[in-house]
Amino acid sequence: MTTVNASGKHHKTDKLPQKITDQLTDTENEQLKVLTNYVYDRLNNDPSGHDWWHIYRVVCLANQIVSQENGDRFIVLLAALVHDVIDDKLVNDPKLAEKALEAELSRVGLSEKQVTAIMVIITNMSYRKSLDHKNHSLSIEGQIVQDADRLDANGAMGIVRTMIYGGHKGHILYDPSNPARDTMTLEEYKHGSVTTINHLYEKIIHLKDLMNTKTGKKLAEGRHQYLLDFLEEFHAEWDGLR
């Protein structure tokens, strides 16, 4: 296993805020920089709402949450950073992507324990895992990253990203004759919502109640209210009442 060069100087990535990199050691900053470029190269041009700026926001949110909760900050930051590079919405072969990511994590000098911790988090944190009726227990680090990812799926950003993804998949915006589903199986979820607005009701509106940490729950409150206000306004305007 090789390690990245840690010369005693801070080599901080220019793609993440200094408030994050200042809290890491020289070696951790070297590793973070290499992995940031790895993720950036793969997701920067993503058109589905899972692009680099989504990653940026999740990393920042995860850093904010871990500052208030107990957890290994470095594992939290790295898991937040790489969580979408194996997502089956973005890659043709998730298992192959997992192997490539594990190799890259090892190449930059992470220990086997660190690699395992990160991979367990990112392979068990997705929303669809909550629909398969299995117990996917997450570490506190995993809970923090999951909260950060779900926060970016809520509120103003969640609405915008839902619209982007719906357009990317060719979904129609709304059809009153096709009401949102109250419950979904994993297979039904995989096939997507009938309309983009339905997705807000079928998934996004439930995220507030699925937050793990005290900090995540607090941050979710305002975003959830924004979503409710948007839906009220949307239906009023749809019906020509405003």
Side-chain angles (χ1 to χ4, degrees):
M1 179 175 65
T2 59
T3 60
V4 296
N5 177 38
S7 62
K9 297 179 180 179
H10 278 286
H11 294 280
K12 299 174 182 178
T13 172
D14 58 359
K15 296 182 177 69
L16 292 172
Q18 187 173 347
K19 64 183 178 181
I20 290 178
T21 58
D22 276 349
Q23 300 179 74
L24 303 177
T25 67
D26 292 353
T27 298
E28 288 172 343
N29 268 304
E30 287 275 9
Q31 294 167 325
L32 180 68
K33 182 176 182 179
V34 174
L35 291 170
T36 295
N37 290 331
Y38 179 86
V39 174
Y40 184 88
D41 289 345
R42 283 156 179 76
L43 299 182
N44 185 43
N45 294 317
D46 173 78
S48 73
H50 300 82
D51 59 358
W52 164 251
W53 290 107
H54 163 62
I55 299 298
Y56 177 96
R57 292 188 300 271
V58 173
V59 171
C60 291
L61 286 164
N63 185 64
Q64 182 178 349
I65 297 171
V66 77
S67 296
Q68 303 298 320
E69 309 283 345
N70 293 321
D72 184 321
R73 184 185 301 273
F74 191 48
I75 293 299
V76 166
L77 294 177
L78 291 189
L81 178 67
V82 305
H83 78 276
D84 267 346
V85 297
I86 65 167
D87 193 317
D88 64 4
K89 294 189 294 294
L90 309 179
V91 298
N92 294 325
D93 189 335
K95 291 300 181 183
L96 187 62
E98 286 179 29
K99 290 181 180 179
L101 176 58
E102 287 178 344
E104 184 67 10
L105 293 174
S106 296
R107 188 187 73 80
V108 302
L110 297 186
S111 69
E112 183 178 349
K113 182 178 180 181
Q114 288 175 314
V115 173
T116 298
I118 292 166
M119 296 305 297
V120 168
I121 290 171
I122 67 174
T123 55
N124 288 285
M125 60 178 275
S126 68
Y127 180 78
R128 68 181 58 185
K129 289 289 185 176
S130 67
L131 301 175
D132 65 6
H133 304 294
K134 297 178 182 178
N135 181 25
H136 300 284
S137 179
L138 289 172
S139 63
I140 182 59
E141 290 81 13
Q143 293 176 38
I144 290 169
V145 178
Q146 187 180 63
D147 279 1
D149 191 37
R150 287 176 172 175
L151 282 168
D152 200 55
N154 207 342
M157 287 310 309
I159 295 167
V160 171
R161 291 180 63 225
T162 296
M163 299 304 164
I164 291 172
Y165 189 75
H168 176 69
K169 299 295 287 186
H171 297 163
I172 63 172
L173 176 61
Y174 181 55
D175 180 356
S177 68
N178 282 300
R181 296 166 290 187
D182 293 328
T183 59
M184 290 181 292
T185 65
L186 177 58
E187 285 303 313
E188 288 171 337
Y189 177 75
K190 286 181 178 179
H191 287 93
S193 302
V194 174
T195 73
T196 299
I197 291 297
N198 280 7
H199 184 70
L200 295 175
Y201 284 104
E202 293 174 353
K203 174 183 175 181
I204 309 304
I205 205 168
H206 300 297
L207 295 179
K208 178 181 74 72
D209 295 328
L210 296 175
M211 304 303 287
N212 302 294
T213 65
K214 182 178 179 180
T215 307
K217 291 175 182 178
K218 183 176 181 180
L219 291 171
E221 290 175 1
R223 292 179 182 241
H224 181 72
Q225 187 58 53
Y226 191 96
L227 173 62
L228 296 180
D229 293 343
F230 168 81
L231 288 170
E232 179 183 358
E233 182 68 18
F234 173 85
H235 288 294
E237 293 185 14
W238 181 274
D239 292 333
L241 300 177
R242 295 181 188 167

